[in-house]
């Protein structure tokens, strides 16, 4: 693997790994909020006597509020830095958890959910960006996928919390489930301050000496640190031979004007980067993962699992499967490459979703007669779907979108991708129960299988491989890939005037 000027780097730097692990704690908190909601809504529905429409609103509103957090986080992280943004996100999570845990009414519960949603938006933007900017090119896939591992661990913790605290009285159990999240939120708010700032953000502020000190810690050799620093300086428009401790950059470094460069006057390569980020974030949730993660208990009940204890235990299996295969995928993401994992992942998802749709249709048409083989097929295909999602689409989405934007556009570009992600997530989570009533639960999963086919086609044609490339090379990757596509079309059509948009 190479980065910058041909210098080869070997093992993962322990300090950069520690930084990424701490940053990924924000993702654990977010994952916990998602997972614990899956079971908590069973008890909240009984406690507040709410209907399915209000259940959907409670489940999905966090994602609409995350849009606000995501679109704000990029600009804030450009202004105050990556570390302080993670600390701010932790405090927001803390406030949201307290409001939900002590909510005297459904309205206050929704307010707490909205506050937590803003924290979600911050977490999804900043944790992968920080991890990607700390890592070297050949280990960036592993370190930038740690936030996704954090989400999976958080979801699993939420499911386990559901099972443990479901034994408590109705008016206490679901409150404790939410209040547990305040403990890691408070710890991370202060713990992250002991970590270094992103060296790329420091260079953008002109703090070259500080950036050099950080790079010496997160690199394995002085030569590697020097090479990475030179690449970052070039990307920031600084003379690579400049050895000053501090420089004043001519262009703004606080995020002003970035929206114009991203959306109004993007270069051809930036336009393609945007399309890639939009597409991968859209398809991550349009293929149905939130329906399984958030409404797993409903799905298993529909499949024929009877008691709440058995439903919650079966749901823990989803969390275990997701965590195991997310962890396994991190060992392949830098070796196999992003494209190969994505295409393999989505292929498996297509077959698993089709099988789940078939099994649930059989159960539904059995007219209350228990079809044991269809019940087990429903559970098996649900787990297989989560397995394939976790080995590719789940981690690659966050690694890919955090690494492809140019340095100046990275934080706010990533925030746009996260906004698309949350909007799609919210749409799925707030319409799933209504769609089930309109087109049957089996029909909904057949629809998700169809979306997975579209995802495979999009990934095949529009996502170039980024494995082993430095963050400073990404714009060239998309430029070269565009030229390659143009040549292919010219050869196929025999017309050298044909251009690919």
């Amino acid at each position: 693997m190479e980065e910058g000027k041909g210098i080869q780097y070997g093992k993962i730097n322990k300090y950069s790994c520690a930084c990424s692990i701490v940053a990924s704690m924000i993702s654990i908190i977010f994952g916990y909020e998602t997972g614990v909601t899956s079971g908590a809504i069973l008890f909240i529905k009984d406690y507040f006597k709410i209907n399915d429409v209000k259940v959907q609103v409670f489940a999905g509103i966090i994602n609409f509020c995350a849009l606000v957090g995501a679109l704000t986080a990029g600009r804030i992280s450009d202004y105050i830095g990556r570390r302080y943004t993670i600390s701010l996100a932790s405090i927001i999570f803390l406030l949201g958890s307290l409001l939900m845990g002590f909510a005297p009414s459904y309205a206050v519960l929704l307010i707490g959910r909205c506050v937590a949603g803003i924290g979600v938006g911050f977490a999804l933007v900043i944790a992968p960006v920080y991890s990607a900017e700390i890592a070297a090119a050949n280990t960036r896939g592993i370190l930038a996928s740690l936030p996704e591992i954090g989400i999976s661990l958080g979801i699993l913790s939420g499911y386990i919390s559901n099972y443990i605290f479901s034994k408590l009285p109705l008016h206490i159990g679901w409150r404790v489930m939410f209040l547990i999240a305040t403990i890691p939120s408070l710890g991370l708010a202060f713990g992250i301050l002991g970590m270094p700032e992103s060296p790329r953000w420091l260079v953008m502020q002109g703090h070259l000496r500080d950036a050099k000190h950080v790079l010496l810690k997160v690199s394995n050799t002085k030569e590697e640190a020097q090479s990475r620093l030179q690449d970052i300086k070039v990307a920031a428009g600084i003379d690579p031979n400049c050895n000053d401790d501090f420089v004043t950059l001519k262009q703004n470094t606080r995020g002003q004007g970035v929206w114009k460069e991203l959306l109004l006057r993007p270069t051809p390569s930036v336009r393609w980067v945007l399309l890639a980020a939009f597409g991968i974030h859209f398809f991550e949730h349009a293929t149905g993962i939130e329906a399984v993660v958030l409404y797993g208990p409903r799905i298993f009940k529909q499949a024929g699992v009877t008691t709440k204890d058995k439903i919650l235990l079966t749901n823990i299996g989803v969390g275990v499967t997701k965590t195991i295969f997310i962890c396994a995928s991190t060992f392949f993401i830098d070796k196999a490459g992003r494209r190969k994992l994505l295409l393999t992942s989505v292929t498996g998802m297509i077959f698993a979703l089709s099988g789940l749709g078939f099994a649930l249709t059989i159960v539904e048409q059995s007219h209350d007669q228990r079809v044991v083989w269809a019940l087990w097929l429903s559970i098996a295909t649900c787990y297989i779907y989560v397995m394939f999602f976790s080995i590719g689409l789940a981690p690659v989405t966050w690694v890919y979108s955090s690494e492809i934007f140019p340095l100046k556009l990275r934080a706010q570009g990533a925030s746009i991708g996260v906004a698309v992600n949350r909007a799609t997530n919210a749409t799925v989570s707030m319409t799933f129960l209504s769609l089930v009533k309109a087109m049957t639960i089996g029909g909904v999963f057949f629809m998700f299988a169809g979306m997975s086919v579209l995802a495979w086609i999009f990934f095949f044609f529009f996502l170039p491989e980024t494995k082993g490339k430095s963050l400073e090379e990404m714009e060239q990757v998309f430029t070269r890939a565009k030229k390659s596509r143009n040549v292919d079309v010219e050869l196929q059509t025999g017309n050298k005037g044909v251009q690919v948009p």
Side-chain angles (χ1 to χ4, degrees):
M1 302 291 181
E2 296 184 351
E3 179 179 358
K5 300 181 180 181
I7 296 176
Q8 292 188 344
Y9 307 126
K11 60 182 181 180
I12 297 176
N13 178 274
K14 293 180 181 179
Y15 190 74
S16 65
C17 184
C19 293
S20 296
I21 290 172
V22 173
S24 299
M25 282 184 62
I26 192 70
S27 299
I28 294 177
I29 301 168
F30 158 56
Y32 179 85
E33 290 283 358
T34 301
V36 82
T37 300
S38 176
I41 53 178
L42 298 176
F43 306 99
I44 289 170
K45 183 177 181 181
D46 291 340
Y47 183 80
F48 288 115
K49 309 298 182 185
I50 55 177
N51 56 29
D52 279 348
V53 173
K54 289 186 176 181
V55 168
Q56 287 183 133
V57 170
F58 174 73
I61 200 169
I62 192 172
N63 294 301
F64 280 119
C65 296
L67 285 171
V68 178
L71 293 172
T72 307
R75 179 67 179 271
I76 289 177
S77 70
D78 280 343
Y79 192 81
I80 67 174
R82 313 317 193 204
R83 281 189 315 159
Y84 289 118
T85 306
I86 293 174
S87 184
L88 178 60
S90 302
I91 293 171
I92 294 171
F93 267 127
L94 175 65
L95 293 175
S97 298
L98 287 172
L99 282 170
M100 286 189 288
F102 291 110
S105 65
Y106 176 74
V108 176
L109 190 69
L110 279 185
I111 293 172
R113 189 78 167 158
C114 284
V115 173
I118 295 173
V120 167
F122 274 75
L124 291 175
V125 170
I126 200 59
V129 168
Y130 179 84
S131 297
E133 292 187 343
I134 281 287
N138 67 320
T139 59
R140 190 176 59 248
I142 294 177
L143 297 187
S145 63
L146 287 179
E148 184 62 32
I149 294 177
I151 292 173
S152 295
L153 287 171
I155 290 172
L156 176 58
S157 300
Y159 290 162
I160 294 172
S161 177
N162 287 154
Y163 184 72
I164 292 173
F165 296 116
S166 65
K167 314 296 182 184
L168 295 176
L170 179 62
H171 66 288
I172 296 176
W174 64 268
R175 295 182 185 278
V176 176
M177 294 176 193
F178 287 119
L179 288 172
I180 287 293
T182 61
I183 299 172
S185 298
L186 189 61
L188 180 59
F190 294 101
I192 191 64
L193 300 181
M195 296 294 101
E197 184 52 82
S198 157
R200 287 174 168 88
W201 183 82
L202 290 170
V203 170
M204 288 296 292
Q205 309 312 309
H207 299 287
L208 301 187
R209 183 181 65 178
D210 294 341
K212 183 178 180 180
H213 287 167
V214 174
L215 284 168
L216 286 171
K217 291 181 179 180
V218 299
S219 302
N220 291 323
T221 65
K222 290 183 178 179
E223 291 77 14
E224 177 187 339
Q226 183 61 32
S227 176
R228 291 175 66 180
L229 180 59
Q230 287 184 333
D231 287 343
I232 298 169
K233 285 192 286 188
V234 170
I238 301 172
D239 183 350
N241 297 315
C242 175
N243 294 315
D244 295 342
D245 291 342
F246 179 82
V247 297
T248 301
L249 277 68
K250 294 180 180 179
Q251 72 271 32
N252 72 75
T253 58
R254 300 286 186 176
Q256 301 95 325
V258 170
W259 292 117
K260 292 181 181 179
E261 293 186 42
L262 276 171
L263 302 176
L264 300 181
R265 297 191 301 271
T267 63
S269 58
V270 169
R271 190 181 299 118
W272 192 352
V273 165
L274 270 174
L275 176 64
F278 281 16
I280 197 168
H281 276 291
F282 171 77
F283 283 116
E284 184 190 24
H285 287 288
T287 49
I289 188 61
E290 197 66 13
V292 171
V293 169
L294 198 54
Y295 294 107
R298 286 289 191 108
I299 295 169
F300 296 131
K301 183 178 181 180
Q302 192 91 11
V305 183
T306 50
T307 66
K308 278 187 178 179
D309 273 2
K310 290 180 179 178
I311 288 171
L312 293 175
L313 274 175
T314 309
N315 208 36
I316 288 175
V318 172
V320 171
T321 303
K322 196 172 190 301
T323 302
I324 289 173
F325 286 95
I326 281 282
C327 292
S329 72
T330 61
F331 295 101
F332 299 103
I333 197 166
D334 283 317
K335 295 179 181 179
R338 288 41 161 169
R339 272 177 60 87
K340 188 176 292 185
L341 277 181
L342 267 180
L343 296 176
T344 302
S345 170
V346 178
T347 300
M349 287 165 57
I350 293 169
F351 288 103
L353 285 166
S354 299
L356 181 56
F358 170 74
L360 289 171
T361 299
I362 294 297
V363 170
E364 198 163 34
Q365 292 181 351
S366 66
H367 303 296
D368 297 327
Q369 294 180 2
R370 202 159 183 258
V371 184
V372 177
W373 68 266
L375 164 62
W376 286 107
L377 181 60
S378 297
I379 296 173
T381 50
C382 186
Y383 287 0
I384 292 170
Y385 162 65
V386 172
M387 177 191 77
F388 276 106
F389 174 82
S390 300
I391 65 171
L393 187 53
V396 173
T397 294
W398 300 99
V399 173
Y400 202 85
S401 61
S402 68
E403 69 186 1
I404 58 179
F405 285 97
L407 176 59
K408 182 183 175 184
L409 310 179
R410 184 168 302 130
Q412 294 189 49
S415 73
I416 295 175
V418 171
V420 173
N421 186 286
R422 292 299 92 188
T424 311
N425 188 312
T427 302
V428 172
S429 58
M430 295 184 78
T431 61
F432 178 72
L433 297 180
S434 299
L435 285 172
V436 167
K437 291 179 181 178
M439 56 191 296
T440 76
I441 191 167
V444 172
F445 283 101
F446 282 126
M447 179 189 72
F448 289 142
M451 292 301 299
S452 298
V453 172
L454 295 179
W456 194 97
I457 294 170
F458 178 86
F459 297 153
F460 184 83
F461 286 103
F462 292 101
L463 269 61
E465 181 58 73
T466 57
K467 179 185 72 171
K469 302 295 183 182
S470 72
L471 294 180
E472 287 66 45
E473 292 178 299
M474 289 301 168
E475 198 164 357
Q476 298 173 22
V477 169
F478 280 82
T479 301
R480 286 197 299 267
K482 181 179 178 66
K483 289 179 180 178
S484 175
R485 287 176 64 211
N486 286 345
V487 169
D488 290 342
V489 172
E490 288 170 8
L491 291 174
Q492 292 171 10
T493 62
N495 181 1
K496 294 185 177 182
V498 174
Q499 294 293 317
V500 178

